[in-house]
Amino acid sequence: MSIQHLAWVFAAFLGLGACGTMQTGLPKLSDVLNGAMKTQTAAAIDADMLRASLTPQVLAQAETRLLILEVPTRDAVAVLSLVNTNQGVDTYLTADGVSISLQDGIVVATRGFGFDLMTAEVSETLAALKQGSASAVRIHRYLDGENHTDPRSFVCDVTVQSDLSAVEICHSATFSFENSYNLNDNGFIVESQQWVSAEIGSVRINILN
C-alpha cells in the first residue's frame, strides 16, 4: 500500500494556501509542508511531527477539514482532506486515492487499504454515545474471496466517561475488538482509535479543524 511511503501526504495540500492573500507573518501551509519534506525522510515522518507542523495558524488557511490517519499495522501515517459529504457521511481522501468515510466521527467505510470495510451500520453506536452508556449492535460488510458481500454483526457495550472519553467493546461469536473515542464539548468525536478489519486492525484518527 503506497501510503507507507508518505511522500503524497504533503502533495495533497501544497496548493491549499496558494490562492488568496495570506495574512502577514503567518506561515504558508505549503511552506510548512515543503519544509517537513526537505528536513525529514519519509520513514521519519510520524503523527507527532505532522501535528507539530499543522499549527492553528496553518490550519486556518486550509479550505477544508483535515485529519491525521495512523495505520499501525502498515506503519503508516497520512493527512487526509474532506472531499465529500453525503447523507451525513464525510469522506476524506489522500492524494493517491486512499479514503476513509466517517459518520459523525465513526468509521463506516474505507477504500484503498486492502481488506476494506465496504459499509458499516453504526446508528446504534452513535445513539449510545449520545445516551451516555448503552448496548448497541453494529454491522460491518466486507467482500469475500468471490467478491460477494459478507455481513458481520457485533454486539457492543458503549460507556461514556465524565471526561468525555468513551469506550466501545464489541464481540461476535468468533471475534472481539475495542474502540475508543474522545469527544469535544459539543459531543463531536475529535480523536479515536477504531477497528476496521481483522487484516487492517485498528486505525487512529485525529480530526484537526
Side-chain angles (χ1 to χ4, degrees), residues 7 12 25 46 52 98 106 136 180 202:
D46 60 17
V98 176
I106 295 183
S180 60
S202 294

Side-chain angles (χ1 to χ4, degrees), residues 71-88:
V71 189
T73 59
R74 308 295 174 85
D75 194 25
V77 58
V79 177
L80 287 74
S81 60
L82 178 65
V83 294
N84 184 54
T85 298
N86 184 27
Q87 297 182 342

Side-chain angles (χ1 to χ4, degrees), residues 5-198:
H5 300 298
L6 297 176
W8 51 260
V9 171
F10 302 97
F13 307 103
L14 296 182
L16 283 179
C19 298
T21 302
M22 307 303 299
Q23 289 180 284
T24 302
L26 292 182
K28 291 184 179 180
L29 183 59
S30 58
D31 291 342
V32 170
L33 299 180
N34 273 321
M37 282 293 290
K38 291 176 182 176
T39 59
Q40 298 288 334
T41 64
I45 298 170
D46 60 17
D48 289 337
M49 187 190 116
L50 288 177
R51 291 188 187 95
S53 298
L54 296 168
T55 64
Q57 292 89 347
V58 173
L59 289 172
Q61 301 169 52
E63 296 177 357
T64 187
R65 186 176 294 165
L66 306 176
L67 63 77
I68 294 176
L69 175 68
E70 299 175 72
V71 189
T73 59
R74 308 295 174 85
D75 194 25
V77 58
V79 177
L80 287 74
S81 60
L82 178 65
V83 294
N84 184 54
T85 298
N86 184 27
Q87 297 182 342
V89 175
D90 296 327
T91 296
Y92 294 80
L93 187 69
T94 69
D96 63 348
V98 176
S99 70
I100 190 165
S101 296
L102 309 177
Q103 181 178 348
D104 290 339
I106 295 183
V107 179
V108 294
T110 65
R111 295 294 185 272
F113 288 75
F115 304 102
D116 281 306
L117 174 64
M118 303 311 294
T119 63
E121 295 179 19
V122 297
S123 58
E124 291 190 16
T125 294
L126 287 168
L129 286 170
K130 292 178 180 178
Q131 292 173 20
S133 295
S135 296
V137 174
R138 58 159 66 214
I139 299 173
H140 292 193
R141 294 183 178 86
Y142 304 93
L143 294 181
D144 62 19
E146 297 181 350
N147 220 34
H148 297 148
T149 301
D150 176 18
R152 304 176 193 177
S153 179
F154 300 91
V155 177
C156 307
D157 291 317
V158 179
T159 303
V160 179
Q161 308 294 336
S162 58
D163 62 355
L164 296 180
S165 65
V167 176
E168 179 186 20
I169 300 174
C170 302
H171 65 274
S172 66
T174 59
F175 200 82
S176 63
F177 62 89
E178 181 176 319
N179 294 331
S180 60
Y181 310 98
N182 288 324
L183 294 78
N184 63 18
D185 291 337
N186 296 321
F188 184 76
I189 297 170
V190 292
E191 292 181 297
S192 62
Q193 179 166 306
Q194 302 186 50
W195 186 81
V196 174
S197 69

